């Protein structure tokens, strides 16, 4: 952890007496690095939001190995000057759950931990917490309850451009569990890079019970189709997927091999051929998409048209 120069402040008590003391400077960098044969080399970019001319900067270090750990520090460091970079674009923000990117209209559970990765390919992320340049989270557009989440951010190992922070969905009391067909929640994240360019990313999602298997927004595209079509759907959790194709009279003409469906958006391609490998005749067909996870199951019956 690298800190800006410490600051001298004075507190006036109710009785009128004054107490003067020092407080640590704002964070400049917070991340991890690897150690090779006892030596470490960690790089970072100094943000514009520093106390230029300060002479009491500090670096705190904690190290850990298989058999030992320890701490160290360097203090009274000069803090003056930033990298001479041309950077006019804000950072990129992504939402991740269980290693998978979360897109709009996802089905999330109150027990989910939302990982937010923030990356700027030129100047890195501003974590000073300076007024106006904090990382903020706003739930359901309620700006009155915006949360400062800067202190959660940490750079990835051996990186000074990309890092992440983790927040439980349950942290935000503004989110309401709703009928998935009726309403959306939103979470907006605003972050700044070290050149003081900002970016905002908003995720819209539906909050559903964590013990429920929900299949939603099922469709095939294109529809009508000429040769191939793709089934698209959302899942609230991982599940096995089976798709069957029927005529309007109810005769089974094609069945896709079972596939693993994943939390979030899924796409399944179909070549438009029946069980014998022949192209379907022009007309209207039904498809039945089933999802099963442990002792839960759900399905969707849809209609599609083959037209040439």
């Amino acid at each position: 952890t690298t800190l800006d120069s410490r600051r001298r402040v004075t507190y006036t008590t109710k009785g009128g007496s004054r107490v003067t003391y020092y407080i640590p400077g704002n964070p400049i960098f917070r991340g991890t690095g690897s150690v090779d044969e006892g030596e470490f080399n960690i790089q970072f970019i100094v943000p514009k939001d520093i106390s230029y001319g300060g002479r009491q900067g500090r670096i705190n270090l904690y190290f850990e190995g298989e058999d030992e750990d320890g701490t160290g520090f360097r203090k009274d460091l000069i803090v003056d000057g930033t990298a001479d970079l041309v950077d006019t674009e804000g950072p990129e923000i992504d939402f991740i759950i269980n290693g998978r990117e979360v897109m709009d209209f996802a089905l999330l559970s109150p027990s989910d931990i939302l990982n937010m990765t923030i990356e700027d390919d030129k100047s890195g992320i501003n974590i000073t917490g300076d007024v106006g340049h904090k990382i903020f989270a706003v739930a359901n557009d309620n700006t009155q309850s915006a949360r400062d989440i800067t202190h959660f951010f940490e750079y990835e190992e051996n990186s000074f451009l990309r890092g992440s922070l983790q927040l439980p969905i349950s942290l935000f009391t503004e989110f309401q569990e709703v009928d998935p067909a009726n309403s959306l929640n939103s979470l907006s994240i605003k972050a700044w890079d070290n050149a003081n360019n900002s970016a905002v990313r908003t995720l819209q999602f539906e909050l559903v019970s964590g013990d429920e298997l929900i299949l939603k927004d099922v469709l095939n595209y294109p529809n009508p189709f000429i040769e191939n079509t793709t089934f698209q759907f959302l899942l609230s959790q991982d599940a096995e997927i089976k798709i069957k194709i029927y005529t309007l009279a109810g005769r089974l003409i094609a069945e896709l091999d079972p596939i693993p469906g994943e939390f979030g958006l899924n796409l399944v391609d179909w070549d438009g051929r029946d069980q014998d490998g022949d192209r379907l005749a022009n007309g209207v067909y039904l498809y039945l998409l089933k999802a099963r996870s442990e002792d839960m199951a759900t399905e969707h019956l849809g209609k599609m048209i083959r037209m040439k």
Side-chain angles (χ1 to χ4, degrees):
T1 300
T2 303
L3 301 174
D4 197 349
S5 184
R6 67 175 184 165
R7 293 172 289 164
R8 185 176 180 177
V9 296
T10 300
Y11 171 72
T12 303
T13 68
K14 292 182 179 180
S17 61
R18 292 186 174 186
V19 179
T20 300
Y21 57 96
Y22 287 92
I23 62 174
N26 291 335
I28 292 176
F29 175 82
R30 182 170 51 247
T32 59
S34 56
V35 179
D36 184 17
E37 296 183 353
E39 296 185 355
F40 68 90
N41 180 10
I42 297 177
Q43 303 178 65
F44 58 89
I45 294 176
V46 177
K48 289 185 175 180
D49 293 338
I50 58 172
S51 57
Y52 294 89
R55 305 182 66 86
Q56 299 189 60
R58 182 182 177 105
I59 294 178
N60 297 324
L61 172 71
Y62 169 75
F63 63 88
E64 180 183 23
E66 294 181 0
D67 303 318
E68 60 183 351
D69 66 347
T71 61
F73 69 92
R74 285 287 302 274
K75 65 177 183 177
D76 298 332
L77 302 175
I78 296 174
V79 183
D80 191 11
T82 60
D84 185 16
L85 295 174
V86 177
D87 186 0
T88 59
E89 297 183 0
E92 294 184 3
I93 304 171
D94 291 316
F95 298 95
I96 309 291
I97 289 183
N98 297 327
R100 303 169 188 163
E101 185 175 0
V102 182
M103 307 301 289
D104 277 341
F105 314 116
L107 306 176
L108 304 186
S109 162
S111 62
D112 283 334
I113 304 296
L114 191 59
N115 179 69
M116 283 153 283
T117 62
I118 309 177
E119 179 178 13
D120 189 273
D121 62 358
K122 291 183 179 179
S123 62
I125 309 304
N126 187 331
I127 64 168
T128 61
D130 204 30
V131 176
H133 293 156
K134 300 177 181 180
I135 304 176
F136 271 113
V138 177
N140 286 346
D141 297 323
N142 184 4
T143 56
Q144 298 299 317
S145 60
R147 290 173 173 82
D148 177 6
I149 57 174
T150 311
H151 57 287
F152 289 111
F153 181 87
E154 183 170 306
Y155 281 96
E156 294 180 355
E157 183 172 336
N158 295 325
S159 175
F160 55 89
L161 299 176
R162 174 186 171 94
S164 64
L165 50 91
Q166 292 78 39
L167 296 176
I169 294 294
S170 58
L171 177 66
F172 300 93
T173 56
E174 295 86 355
F175 295 154
Q176 298 296 320
E177 188 173 319
V178 295
D179 179 348
N182 293 333
S183 184
L184 286 173
N185 289 284
S186 68
L187 177 64
S188 297
I189 303 297
K190 185 173 185 177
W192 301 77
D193 62 22
N194 282 322
N196 288 342
N197 302 301
S198 67
V200 179
R201 172 76 187 276
T202 299
L203 175 68
Q204 299 183 79
F205 63 94
E206 293 158 0
L207 194 63
V208 299
S209 173
D211 57 0
E212 216 177 334
L213 174 60
I214 296 178
L215 174 66
K216 188 175 181 293
D217 294 345
V218 184
L219 56 86
N220 70 292
Y221 181 83
N223 188 20
F225 67 96
I226 298 175
E227 294 184 349
N228 304 335
T229 191
T230 299
F231 297 99
Q232 173 181 305
F233 53 93
L234 291 171
L235 284 172
S236 62
Q237 56 182 271
D238 293 352
E240 182 186 65
I241 302 299
K242 294 182 179 179
I243 301 176
K244 296 182 179 181
I245 315 298
Y246 298 87
T247 65
L248 285 179
R251 180 170 63 89
L252 178 65
I253 57 173
E255 181 174 357
L256 280 65
D257 294 333
I259 61 169
E262 298 181 342
F263 156 79
L265 177 65
N266 291 261
L267 301 173
V268 179
D269 296 324
W270 178 49
D271 61 6
R273 297 179 183 272
D274 62 18
Q275 298 287 61
D276 298 323
D278 298 325
R279 294 284 181 192
L280 301 187
N282 288 349
V284 180
Y285 297 88
L286 302 175
Y287 64 87
L288 181 65
L289 193 152
K290 293 184 177 182
R292 177 176 294 278
S293 176
E294 298 180 352
D295 58 347
M296 296 179 289
T298 184
E299 62 184 37
H300 173 85
L301 182 65
K303 184 182 294 185
M304 59 184 177
I305 301 173
R306 200 270 175 162
M307 181 182 298
K308 185 175 181 180

